[in-house]
Amino acid sequence: MVMEEGGQSDRGRGGTAEAAAMPAEGRQIFMELGEQNLDAICLSTYRTACKLRFIQKRCNLHLIDIYNVIEAVRDAGLNAVELNAIISVTRLENLVSSLFNQLSKRLPTTHTINPRESTILLVEFILAAIDCEPDSRLTVLSVKAMLATLCGGKLVDKLRYVFSQVSDSKGVLVLSKFDGFLREALKLPTALHEGPSFGYTHTLTRSCFPQQKKVMLNTFLDIVSDPPQCLIWLPLMHRMANVEHVYHPVTCSYCRGNTMTGFRYRCLRCRGYQLCQDCFWRGNASGSHSNQHQMKEHSSWKSPATKLGRALSRTLGCVSSREPPHPIYPEEPERTLNLANIVPTRPIGNNSETMLLSSSVPESSKSLAAAQRMNEEHALIAAYVNRLQSSPRVDSPSRQDEEHKLIARYTSRLAETEGAGVIPQRSINFDVNKQKRELIAQLESKNREILAEIKHLRAEHDAACQPSPEKGSTNPTLLAELRLLRQRKDELEQRMSSLQESRRELMVQLEGLMKLLKQEQASLFPHCYFLFSNVTLL
C-alpha cells in the first residue's frame, strides 16, 4: 500500500473549549488520552486510529469480539427492539456491565480486569460521543454501532454484523439505515475532536458506494480493502492491532533506533531510507528525504533470502494468485424458520388411536402416520422456538438442559423414522450427535458445580478474613486453612478452564456435524433444515 504524506495534516483539534465544558465525571479517559500526546501525529487518519485504539485498550474492549457483543445485546433484550428506539442510561450501563462481567469470567487467573472501572470509562465515553452533537439521543442503533466499531475481533465479522442491521430481508443494503449507522459511528472520531476530518455529512452515504445501485454483502465487505474516505480509519485501527508486536531488525534513518516495532515505512525515492512509525507519523525527515515523497508501509519483515525466493517463484510462475481480501459469501441471506410449515393443521391423535390406525391401514398409511409423529415433534420444537423468539434470552441451567433434551429427543426420533423408511438412509450418525450433546450437558453440569463451589469457598474466605473480637491475634490454624482454600480454589479454576476448553472443542465438532446434517437434509426434508438452522442460531 503506497501512501502520500502531503495534504493530510489537518489537525481537527480545536477542542479546548469543548473539553472545558465537559462534566468532571467524564474527563478521566480524555485526560489520560491527552497525556499520550497523540495530537502530535500529523496524519489525521493515523491520529484518529491511534486515539480510538487507545480508548479500545483502556476500556479493555480489545478483549471482546463481536460475538460477545451480539450475545450481550440478546441477553439485554435489544435484538428485538427497533434501531431508532431510545434507551435509558441505566440500560446501557447494565449492557456494558454484563459485557465486562462475562469477560472477567472468561479470562485466566493470571490476567484480571476491573469490570466496574471498564464499565464506567466506556459508558462515559459513549455518552460523551452522543452529546457531541446537538439534539442527539441514545438509541439502540447508537449502542450497536459504537460497540461494533470499538470491540476487538476480525473486521470482516464486525462488518457482517453491521450489514445484518442495515440490510433488508433480501440481503440488500438499505441506504437510510446505513446513513444512520454512519451518523452514529462517526460520532466516535468527533468526540475525539477529529470531526473536521471524519465528521458526518448528508452526502457521505451515497459517496461510499457511488457506482452500485444495489449493494449486497460481498460489495459491502470491500470496505476491508477499499474503505470509503469517511471510514478509512477503521481498517487502519485493525491493522495497528495486528502489528503492535511485529519486530523489524532495521535502523530508523531519522531517530537511529536499532529496532522497529509496529509499522515500517520505506521511501520509494530515497534508496535505503526507512522510518519507524513514530517518526513517520510525526513528519520527521532528514537528509535529502522530504515529507512529499511516497512511502510504502510494511507490516512484516522479510529477510533478503525470503525476498529472493519469492522473486524467483514469481518469475517461474509458482506463486498462486492472491487471495481475496475477504471470504465470498452467498448473496441470498439464510431463510428463517417458517413455523406455518411445521405446525400441523389439525391435532394429532393419541398413541392408542395411532396404533389402531396403523394395524388397519396399508403401508402407505403407515408412512403417513410416521410423518404425523414427526410433525408432532416439529410442533413441540416450534412451540419452544416461539418462546425463545418472544422472550429475551436468559441462559440458565434449566433452560440449557431443556434445549439439549429437546434436540436429543428430536434426533432420536429422526433415527427411528429413518429405520422405518420415512427418510432415506444417510451417512450422518445421530448417535454420535446425541453422545456429544450429552457430554456437553455433563461438562456444563460440572462447570456449574465448580462455580458453585468456588462461590462457596470465596464466601468462606471472606468470612474468615473479617476480624473477630473473640479471636484476638492471628490463628495459625486459620491461616493454614486459608492457604488450603486458596490452593483448592486455584485447582478448581484450572479444572474449570480445561472443561470450558473441552466444551468449546465439542461445540466446534457438533457444529460441523450439524452443517453436514443440514446439507444432507436440504433437498430431502426442508422443514428440518429450517428448524436446525434456527435452533443453531438461538
Side-chain angles (χ1 to χ4, degrees):
M1 176 179 176
V2 179
M3 309 181 61
E4 293 187 9
E5 188 175 11
Q8 295 186 17
S9 60
D10 49 322
R11 296 291 180 184
R13 285 167 290 184
T16 306
E18 297 178 26
M22 192 179 301
E25 61 271 16
R27 290 181 181 175
Q28 178 180 354
I29 194 167
F30 291 94
M31 291 175 62
E32 296 180 6
L33 179 63
E35 295 173 356
Q36 305 301 313
N37 195 26
L38 298 178
D39 285 332
I41 299 177
C42 299
L43 305 178
S44 60
T45 304
Y46 285 93
R47 188 171 62 247
T48 304
C50 286
K51 289 182 178 180
L52 289 175
R53 179 61 178 167
F54 173 80
I55 297 294
Q56 183 188 56
K57 296 182 68 175
R58 182 64 182 88
C59 297
N60 292 311
L61 273 175
H62 65 295
L63 303 174
I64 297 174
D65 60 20
I66 187 62
Y67 298 105
N68 302 134
V69 174
I70 295 174
E71 183 179 1
V73 169
R74 286 180 177 177
D75 291 342
L78 297 179
N79 57 319
V81 182
E82 292 293 334
L83 294 178
N84 295 326
I86 300 175
I87 64 174
S88 62
V89 177
T90 303
R91 198 167 185 180
L92 171 64
E93 292 175 348
N94 294 336
L95 170 63
V96 176
S97 177
S98 66
L99 266 177
F100 290 113
N101 287 331
Q102 293 298 325
L103 173 63
S104 63
K105 295 178 181 178
R106 294 192 303 270
L107 292 177
T109 55
T110 57
H111 189 176
T112 59
I113 65 169
N114 188 342
R116 185 174 181 275
E117 180 186 11
S118 301
T119 300
I120 293 175
L121 291 176
L122 181 57
V123 170
E124 287 178 352
F125 178 71
I126 292 177
L127 294 180
I130 296 296
D131 294 337
C132 67
E133 291 186 2
D135 301 330
S136 183
R137 297 182 178 181
L138 181 63
T139 62
V140 176
L141 180 60
S142 305
V143 177
K144 290 184 177 181
M146 293 184 183
L147 290 180
T149 304
L150 288 176
C151 71
K154 297 181 180 180
L155 179 58
V156 173
D157 296 335
K158 296 164 67 171
L159 292 178
R160 288 180 62 195
Y161 173 70
V162 171
F163 187 81
S164 68
Q165 301 296 310
V166 298
S167 59
D168 58 15
S169 58
K170 297 180 180 180
V172 181
L173 181 71
V174 180
L175 291 180
S176 59
K177 292 183 178 180
F178 182 62
D179 181 77
F181 166 77
L182 281 181
R183 180 187 294 272
E184 302 300 332
L186 293 180
K187 289 178 182 178
L188 299 175
T190 303
L192 301 174
H193 313 309
E194 299 295 337
S197 300
F198 301 105
Y200 170 80
T201 60
H202 296 284
T203 60
L204 285 179
T205 305
R206 176 45 61 184
S207 64
C208 293
F209 306 99
Q211 304 297 330
Q212 293 83 7
K213 294 183 179 179
K214 187 178 180 181
V215 180
M216 308 296 286
L217 174 60
N218 294 313
T219 305
F220 185 78
L221 293 181
D222 290 339
I223 294 177
V224 175
S225 58
D226 186 20
Q229 186 61 32
C230 61
L231 292 176
I232 196 172
W233 47 268
L234 182 57
L236 176 59
M237 185 175 67
H238 285 76
R239 295 206 312 273
M240 289 173 54
N242 293 332
V243 302
E244 280 185 348
H245 303 290
V246 174
Y247 170 78
H248 305 270
V250 181
T251 301
C252 178
S253 300
Y254 182 84
C255 66
R256 299 301 175 182
N258 293 328
T259 58
M260 299 183 189
T261 303
F263 288 118
R264 173 172 55 91
Y265 297 89
R266 178 172 58 87
C267 182
L268 299 180
R269 293 179 57 180
C270 303
R271 182 177 179 83
Y273 193 89
Q274 303 190 73
L275 294 175
C276 63
Q277 64 180 20
D278 290 338
C279 292
F280 176 74
W281 290 353
R282 286 162 174 78
N284 297 331
S286 60
S288 60
H289 177 71
S290 172
N291 291 334
Q292 302 302 321
H293 292 181
Q294 289 186 345
M295 305 287 288
K296 185 174 182 180
E297 181 183 274
H298 294 272
S299 58
S300 62
W301 164 257
K302 297 181 180 66
S303 63
T306 304
K307 293 181 181 178
L308 179 61
R310 290 178 63 88
L312 291 175
S313 301
R314 191 179 297 108
T315 303
L316 298 175
C318 299
V319 179
S320 60
S321 58
R322 181 173 296 180
E323 296 182 357
H326 60 80
I328 304 301
Y329 297 95
E331 297 292 345
E332 293 293 332
E334 293 186 3
R335 298 177 62 183
T336 56
L337 179 65
N338 186 3
L339 299 179
N341 296 329
I342 296 177
V343 179
T345 56
R346 58 177 180 269
I348 306 297
N350 54 29
N351 293 333
S352 59
E353 294 176 353
T354 304
M355 294 176 61
L356 180 60
L357 179 63
S358 61
S359 62
S360 59
V361 296
E363 292 296 328
S364 60
S365 299
K366 290 183 179 180
S367 62
L368 179 59
Q372 289 178 345
R373 289 196 300 271
M374 180 69 69
N375 288 336
E376 181 180 0
E377 301 296 330
H378 293 166
L380 291 175
I381 301 180
Y384 183 69
V385 169
N386 274 329
R387 281 190 291 151
L388 292 178
Q389 293 178 342
S390 61
S391 61
R393 177 170 179 170
V394 180
D395 291 333
S396 61
S398 60
R399 179 167 184 168
Q400 292 176 357
D401 293 340
E402 186 178 357
E403 290 178 0
H404 294 309
K405 290 179 181 178
L406 200 58
I407 295 175
R409 181 178 179 183
Y410 180 70
T411 52
S412 62
R413 177 65 69 182
L414 284 178
E416 293 175 3
T417 54
E418 180 184 21
V422 178
I423 301 176
Q425 184 71 24
R426 295 180 298 275
S427 60
I428 304 300
N429 189 348
F430 291 99
D431 293 336
V432 175
N433 280 347
K434 184 177 180 181
Q435 292 174 1
K436 290 185 179 298
R437 292 190 184 93
E438 292 177 352
L439 183 57
I440 291 173
Q442 293 175 5
L443 291 175
E444 290 178 347
S445 178
K446 292 180 180 178
N447 189 14
R448 289 193 295 270
E449 294 177 359
I450 292 173
L451 290 176
E453 189 171 354
I454 290 175
K455 184 178 180 181
H456 178 67
L457 291 175
R458 285 177 177 171
E460 292 183 353
H461 173 68
D462 294 339
C465 290
Q466 293 180 357
S468 176
E470 295 89 2
K471 294 180 181 179
S473 60
T474 305
N475 190 350
T477 305
L478 179 60
L479 293 178
E481 292 179 356
L482 289 177
R483 282 194 294 269
L484 291 176
L485 287 175
R486 293 193 188 98
Q487 183 179 0
R488 178 60 175 166
K489 172 191 170 186
D490 294 337
E491 293 175 355
L492 290 175
E493 290 180 347
Q494 292 177 1
R495 183 184 175 191
M496 182 180 66
S497 300
S498 61
L499 288 175
Q500 289 178 345
E501 184 65 27
S502 301
R503 180 180 179 273
R504 281 193 291 267
E505 294 177 356
L506 289 173
M507 289 299 292
V508 171
Q509 297 177 7
L510 180 59
E511 185 179 2
L513 292 174
M514 295 296 288
K515 288 182 180 178
L516 291 176
L517 178 61
K518 289 194 291 185
Q519 292 175 1
E520 291 291 335
Q521 292 182 344
S523 58
L524 299 176
F525 208 88
H527 303 328
C528 298
Y529 175 76
F530 300 145
L531 177 62
F532 273 102
S533 300
N534 199 308
V535 173
T536 305
L537 291 174
L538 292 174

